[in-house]
Amino acid sequence: MRDIVIRTDTGKLVSISVAYAVLGAAFAGLGATVADGPVVAGLCYAVAAVALLGIIRNVREIAHPRVLFKADARGVTDFSKRGDVVFVPWDHVERIDLKAANNESLMLDVVGFKTLDEMDGLTEDQRQLAAASGGRGYYLLELSGMWVSRKHMERAFDDISLLAARYNPTVACTGFQDSLAAHSKKGRERLSRQQRRREREVRKRLAEESRHGGDGGE
């Protein structure tokens, strides 16, 4: 089964940069034409400068795309926080959730744990807390919708859920659910049907990959 590698999404960064450019141009125009004093004009230009810095950062990300998340036969690795790479093996993963970040974006959460002997640099207080929790320290690996489009996030969730079903079937995988729907009986029933459909699709994909593997495929 192939590895799942999620990189910075060029399309998403381009759309954000366009929004930054519009915002920056609007505030620069306000500062030049509407502002009635140096303080207000300065604030307008400051916002425009921040928008420009955001564009520059996104251009760098586009020019040098980086891996944000990876899932393979070993487990899940979060590279999204520079200098703080977190790896959790499949037998330590407990949940995978697809949630709403805002009206336009989704985020992917992987909840897992490490045992005391796997955690470095803990203070004595942190060790005591972990010992009180059964010798486990819990980690949240989060893929933000800031860097990945909604479509790619949904595909990433489907693919990672498939790996979870193969390497640790006890992992609970919950796809995106409209929180408003949970307030009505019909809404809860619809969410339940969606979850069952996802589970059937995962089982179907697993069966197809097993057949291909038996015929000499991956």
Side-chain angles (χ1 to χ4, degrees):
M1 185 176 292
R2 67 183 180 86
D3 296 348
I4 309 303
V5 180
I6 300 104
R7 295 180 172 82
T8 45
D9 190 329
T10 297
K12 179 76 171 183
L13 292 177
V14 168
S15 65
I16 293 173
S17 297
V18 170
Y20 283 165
V22 172
L23 179 68
F27 273 89
L30 289 174
T33 60
V34 178
D36 56 0
V39 174
V40 176
L43 289 174
C44 290
Y45 292 137
V47 172
V50 170
L52 178 60
L53 291 174
I55 294 172
I56 292 173
R57 178 184 178 182
N58 287 349
V59 169
R60 289 175 177 172
E61 291 282 353
I62 292 171
H64 304 284
R66 59 191 178 94
V67 174
L68 301 173
F69 239 59
K70 180 179 179 181
D72 54 26
R74 296 170 57 243
V76 183
T77 308
D78 182 356
F79 297 96
S80 62
K81 303 173 184 66
R82 297 182 186 275
D84 186 20
V85 176
V86 180
F87 167 76
V88 177
W90 281 118
D91 59 349
H92 288 6
V93 175
E94 294 189 351
R95 294 193 60 83
I96 302 174
D97 299 319
L98 189 64
K99 300 179 178 179
N102 52 47
N103 290 336
E104 300 296 331
S105 302
L106 297 174
M107 60 184 177
L108 177 66
D109 288 349
V110 177
V111 179
F113 65 88
K114 293 186 179 182
T115 58
L116 274 173
D117 59 339
E118 295 172 325
M119 293 183 286
D120 299 323
L122 294 181
T123 66
E124 186 59 32
D125 288 342
Q126 288 172 327
R127 286 192 171 276
Q128 290 178 3
L129 287 173
S133 301
R136 296 178 175 183
Y138 279 85
Y139 290 77
L140 174 63
L141 285 63
E142 188 168 78
L143 180 61
S144 171
M146 174 64 72
W147 310 110
V148 182
S149 70
R150 190 182 185 97
K151 179 180 70 174
H152 290 165
M153 192 73 79
E154 290 174 338
R155 184 184 306 161
F157 171 79
D158 289 342
D159 291 341
I160 292 176
S161 296
L162 183 65
L163 284 180
R166 169 154 292 193
Y167 297 113
N168 184 1
T170 65
V171 175
C173 300
T174 305
F176 172 67
Q177 298 184 345
D178 185 350
S179 58
L180 295 177
H183 294 288
S184 68
K185 181 179 179 180
K186 288 185 177 180
R188 289 191 296 270
E189 291 174 349
R190 176 164 56 83
L191 294 178
S192 179
R193 288 195 299 271
Q194 290 175 351
Q195 184 66 21
R196 290 196 298 270
R197 184 171 63 250
R198 292 189 191 98
E199 293 170 355
R200 287 197 301 270
E201 289 172 353
V202 166
R203 290 195 295 269
K204 180 180 177 181
R205 289 181 63 185
L206 278 176
E208 290 174 349
E209 292 197 1
S210 296
R211 287 197 300 271
H212 293 159
D215 294 336
E218 290 184 355

